[in-house]
Amino acid sequence: MSVRKVACALFLLFPLATSALAQTAADPVKNLMDLAEGLWSDDPKVQGQDYFDASRLDTLYSKRFAHAYRAAAKFPIYDDASGPFGYDVITNGQDGCPLKDVAIAPGTDANGVTDVTVTFKLWTCVDDGSVDKNSVNEVHFSMITENGKPVIDDIRRKDDEGKLDSLMTEMLDIAKNGQDVGPEAPQPDESQTTPPANDKPKIILSQPE
């Protein structure tokens, strides 16, 4: 093979190699955490963006997660159709400070699921002693592979007792039972509550003041 042909072959293969290397389990998580940091710091660059906006729902999440979100989003928590959650699903609350010391740590694969752990400090701006300003929040992202790329299949937040909840379970529960917003709330269609095995509404998060 001539030098010219070798050079051409390397040129064609190099983008494929770099693309494959870029697809790690941590990449979708970093996308969300970059957004979370922007939202909690009132960064104008992320104004109007959301964890589940159209550009993210179909690219960062698994098909079953996206299906579960769409089903849950039919029952917005507020009248303005802002989405099924009345809190930030990453920080697991409505109040806090700009995120500090954000760390993303991919784990090992177990039965096709990679656990990516994220830690951060949420209360560093509070000095009145009402909360532990050095406390560390912990969030786990369950990552699977679909169509050759890593996607988020669940988001689990660690509570004060060290237990992990499941955002997927919460969405399925909302889709099945609706929101607790009074007798006039629409009733869910139970045929829409189970995500397909193979398988957007946009919401705006309540940002900290």
Side-chain angles (χ1 to χ4, degrees):
M1 181 180 291
S2 67
V3 173
R4 182 175 180 181
K5 289 182 178 179
V6 170
C8 290
L10 291 174
F11 178 79
L12 292 173
L13 289 174
F14 182 74
L16 296 176
T18 55
S19 176
L21 290 174
Q23 296 296 313
T24 69
D27 289 338
V29 177
K30 186 178 186 306
N31 184 300
L32 287 194
M33 293 312 302
D34 286 346
L35 176 58
E37 289 187 75
L39 291 173
W40 284 92
S41 63
D42 295 325
D43 186 344
K45 294 179 182 179
V46 301
Q47 185 176 4
Q49 295 187 45
D50 178 71
Y51 300 135
F52 307 107
D53 58 24
S55 65
R56 290 182 171 87
L57 190 60
D58 288 334
T59 58
L60 301 184
Y61 301 94
S62 67
K63 292 180 180 179
R64 78 170 194 128
F65 187 105
H67 185 277
Y69 177 82
R70 293 189 189 97
K74 294 177 181 179
F75 306 94
I77 189 68
Y78 302 120
D79 291 338
D80 61 359
S82 56
F85 310 116
Y87 67 99
D88 186 304
V89 300
I90 302 299
T91 65
N92 205 25
Q94 295 178 321
D95 301 313
C97 310
L99 307 187
K100 300 294 184 182
D101 299 338
V102 177
I104 302 174
T108 57
D109 180 278
N111 299 318
V113 180
T114 299
D115 179 71
V116 177
T117 303
V118 175
T119 55
F120 54 88
K121 293 181 179 179
L122 181 63
W123 302 105
T124 56
C125 65
V126 179
D127 296 315
D128 61 8
S130 60
V131 295
D132 180 2
K133 64 184 299 179
N134 291 313
S135 62
V136 177
N137 285 46
E138 185 173 318
V139 185
H140 291 252
F141 293 82
S142 299
M143 309 299 300
I144 64 172
T145 300
E146 282 186 351
N147 299 321
K149 68 176 185 178
V151 289
I152 299 167
D153 195 49
D154 200 1
I155 301 174
R156 300 173 296 150
R157 292 70 52 95
K158 181 174 286 189
D159 62 21
D160 294 337
E161 298 180 353
K163 298 178 181 179
L164 293 175
D165 64 4
S166 166
L167 190 62
M168 173 66 76
T169 298
E170 182 178 344
M171 292 188 296
L172 293 176
D173 183 65
I174 292 173
K176 180 177 181 180
N177 301 308
Q179 299 282 3
D180 184 15
V181 293
E184 300 304 318
Q187 296 301 311
D189 177 1
E190 294 194 2
S191 67
Q192 302 297 319
T193 63
T194 303
N198 298 315
D199 212 351
K200 63 207 36 143
K202 180 177 180 180
I203 71 169
I204 302 298
L205 290 171
S206 298
Q207 299 185 25
E209 298 180 353

